[in-house]
Amino acid sequence: PALGLFLFTIARDPLRIIILIAGAFFWLVSLLLSSLIWFIAVKASDPNDEPLQKGLLIFGVMFSVLLQEAFRFLYYKLLRKAIEGLVALSEDGCSPISIQQMAYVAGVGFGLMSGAFSMINLLADALGPGTVGIYGDSQLYFLTSAFMTMVLIFLHTFWGILFFHGCENRRWWEIVAVVVMHLAVSASSFCNPVYVGSLVPSYVLMAVAATWAYLLSGGSAQNVRRFLLCKS
């Protein structure tokens, strides 16, 4: 599904590809910084203290989420400046891409890079040693991880639309809602290997974020009905 989003809505437009790659780069920088801080914290602590190490893991996840959203805000500010430049250079005084379209493409960029790293981690685990479920744990590790990766890609896309809309209209509660949803999805991963505890809440939040983003983008129930009935 994520590949379909890229091929049908982004791949044909060079400007959108640039925005997507830049968004992926911003997410990558946020991951690099959060990983560096977590690595230093782990090395500076006692590796035999299990409660402390678990606390550091929780801290690392939450800090990474906050850092990602901070970089999403920085990317919004950069794109806002880019729109002003595009308007100044255009002959008709109009930007070739709207802030809503930028929000969507930037969200896809964040999501694709997040999904790419999730896939790399899975491939690294798949190299072994060991067999999934050999000690009685669920054998659905790779399947559920694939579904979790997909939902994160979509969530980043919807969060990008919500976040940019909040920044554009100074609705700070929308930004706070995005951060809270991101924290909730990340925290649900600590329920694993009870995958129902992470997948179900994540997909529920995805449905909420998708509906919210659709309505903010100008969508309506009538448009959905026309789409399902193939009417113009």
Side-chain angles (χ1 to χ4, degrees):
L3 180 61
L5 287 179
F6 173 76
L7 292 177
F8 292 110
T9 64
I10 297 174
R12 298 180 181 179
D13 191 328
L15 182 58
R16 294 186 183 187
I17 293 177
I18 293 173
I19 295 172
L20 180 138
I21 293 175
F25 174 76
F26 268 70
W27 186 91
L28 193 61
V29 173
S30 71
L31 178 67
L32 175 63
L33 293 178
S34 59
S35 299
L36 181 62
I37 293 174
W38 179 80
F39 179 78
I40 293 174
V42 169
K43 289 298 182 182
S45 61
D46 183 7
N48 297 319
D49 191 342
E50 291 187 5
L52 176 61
Q53 293 301 318
K54 185 175 181 179
L56 287 176
L57 179 61
I58 295 174
F59 163 77
V61 170
M62 300 305 152
F63 181 79
S64 176
V65 168
L66 296 177
L67 199 59
Q68 287 177 48
E69 297 306 327
F71 270 81
R72 198 192 302 272
F73 178 74
L74 292 176
Y75 192 41
Y76 162 78
K77 299 295 288 185
L78 177 64
L79 290 178
R80 209 68 194 80
K81 292 293 184 181
I83 285 182
E84 295 175 3
L86 291 172
V87 170
L89 293 174
S90 64
E91 296 180 355
D92 56 359
C94 298
S95 172
I97 185 170
S98 66
I99 190 66
Q100 292 84 0
Q101 293 171 335
M102 283 187 170
Y104 163 74
V105 177
V108 175
F110 269 61
L112 287 179
M113 184 55 69
S114 172
F117 264 80
S118 297
M119 184 180 69
I120 291 172
N121 289 334
L122 286 175
L123 292 176
D125 289 338
L127 292 176
T131 302
V132 175
I134 193 172
Y135 292 114
D137 294 326
S138 173
Q139 298 184 7
L140 301 177
Y141 170 69
F142 292 109
L143 182 62
T144 53
S145 297
F147 277 98
M148 195 66 187
T149 298
M150 184 178 69
V151 75
L152 280 175
I153 294 174
F154 280 121
L155 279 171
H156 272 293
T157 302
F158 303 140
W159 288 337
I161 296 172
L162 298 175
F163 195 97
F164 278 43
H165 185 272
C167 293
E168 194 72 9
N169 296 278
R170 297 187 180 278
R171 295 184 179 181
W172 306 118
W173 58 273
E174 291 182 350
I175 299 174
V176 172
V178 170
V179 175
V180 170
M181 283 191 288
H182 199 166
L183 287 170
V185 171
S186 298
S188 69
S189 64
F190 292 113
C191 296
N192 295 335
V194 183
Y195 298 115
V196 175
S198 59
L199 281 177
V200 173
S202 298
Y203 272 84
V204 170
L205 284 177
M206 185 190 72
V208 173
T211 304
W212 193 358
Y214 175 73
L215 294 175
L216 289 182
S217 301
S220 65
Q222 185 179 9
N223 290 341
V224 175
R225 186 163 52 251
R226 287 178 176 176
F227 168 75
L228 294 176
L229 296 175
C230 298
K231 292 184 178 181
S232 58

